[in-house]
Amino acid sequence: MWLVVVGIILAIFLLLVLSPLKVFVVASESFLIKVKFLFFNIYTFDSNIKKEAEKAVKEKNDVHSTITKITNQTNNYDKLVTLVNILKSVLSKFAKLLKHTTLKNFNFNIVVAGSEAADTAIKYGKICSAVYPLSTFLSKCVNFKPESISVYSDFSGNDTNYNLSFLLYVRIIYLIRFAVSSVLDILYLRIGVKSK
């Protein structure tokens, strides 16, 4: 009897850690993000809903006090050094997490326009120089196609427009590993010990 109970518990645990977290994002004139796990909707933000937008504006954090708490430093130089080391550590681990992340239906279309032809050309160059590193970064994800990012110039338009949409899958077990290793590194850096 106890083997059946252990088997059920193990099956539920495996289902939880091996199931993917799904993130659906659409951004253009409005912004929509939905986070789902299994059949549950964990988080939804829709910029078209005024209450959510007002709540986001109200939830302002004091940046300096937050950085002080994270770094455990009072001197600005020490804060900066610790913060840079934390960011380097987390970003290197995030790059590893991307290898276990699947992108589906990724589309990022940008139409660049300026006040005149020269302005449009300059803006187009700046956008392209920003998009190239993003494409290289996302190439670590499973199923990402660089051609799903497109940048066009519109010499007759007045304003730059964009449309971004994608569905992201990542298994919970990889998120847990990323979170635990990042937290350990932050704790090591807070107490001044190099992470292993």
Side-chain angles (χ1 to χ4, degrees):
M1 180 68 179
W2 63 272
L3 283 175
V4 174
V5 174
V6 171
I8 291 170
I9 292 170
L10 185 60
I12 292 170
F13 175 76
L14 288 174
L15 176 68
L16 291 174
V17 297
L18 296 178
S19 294
L21 184 77
K22 299 174 187 177
V23 181
F24 177 68
V25 175
V26 176
S28 53
E29 291 180 5
S30 59
F31 184 72
L32 171 68
I33 182 167
K34 287 185 180 180
V35 181
K36 291 187 175 182
F37 180 63
L38 295 174
F39 307 106
F40 305 104
N41 191 9
I42 297 172
Y43 178 78
T44 301
F45 175 81
D46 188 347
S47 63
N48 289 325
I49 301 172
K50 289 182 180 179
K51 288 182 181 178
E52 287 289 339
E54 288 169 1
K55 186 180 175 184
V57 170
K58 287 178 183 176
E59 290 176 355
K60 290 181 179 178
N61 293 324
D62 184 1
V63 176
H64 295 293
S65 64
T66 304
I67 291 172
T68 302
K69 287 176 186 175
I70 292 170
T71 59
N72 197 32
Q73 302 289 342
T74 52
N75 178 295
N76 281 342
Y77 174 78
D78 293 334
K79 278 185 197 175
L80 184 62
V81 170
T82 306
L83 192 62
V84 167
N85 286 330
I86 287 171
L87 286 173
K88 278 167 45 181
S89 174
V90 171
L91 287 175
S92 69
K93 291 180 190 312
F94 188 73
K96 292 176 185 175
L97 178 66
L98 286 179
K99 293 177 183 177
H100 303 288
T101 302
T102 303
L103 278 175
K104 286 192 174 181
N105 305 322
F106 185 91
N107 284 301
F108 192 15
N109 302 312
I110 306 167
V111 179
V112 182
S115 56
E116 55 186 38
D119 184 41
T120 301
I122 291 168
K123 286 180 177 177
Y124 177 80
K126 287 181 179 178
I127 292 288
C128 287
S129 65
V131 164
Y132 178 74
L134 174 68
S135 178
T136 305
F137 189 66
L138 290 176
S139 66
K140 294 177 178 150
C141 292
V142 179
N143 206 39
F144 173 74
K145 297 178 179 66
E147 58 268 22
S148 59
I149 299 179
S150 57
V151 184
Y152 302 100
S153 54
D154 180 9
F155 292 100
S156 61
N158 294 318
D159 197 11
T160 299
N161 294 305
Y162 65 93
N163 191 336
L164 170 68
S165 63
F166 63 88
L167 184 59
L168 180 144
Y169 291 84
V170 59
R171 293 188 192 279
I172 290 294
I173 191 166
Y174 297 120
L175 280 174
I176 292 169
R177 189 171 74 179
F178 166 73
V180 169
S181 60
S182 296
V183 167
L184 285 175
D185 273 7
I186 290 169
L187 291 174
Y188 283 133
L189 289 166
R190 277 177 56 112
I191 60 174
V193 178
K194 288 187 178 179
S195 60
K196 295 176 182 179

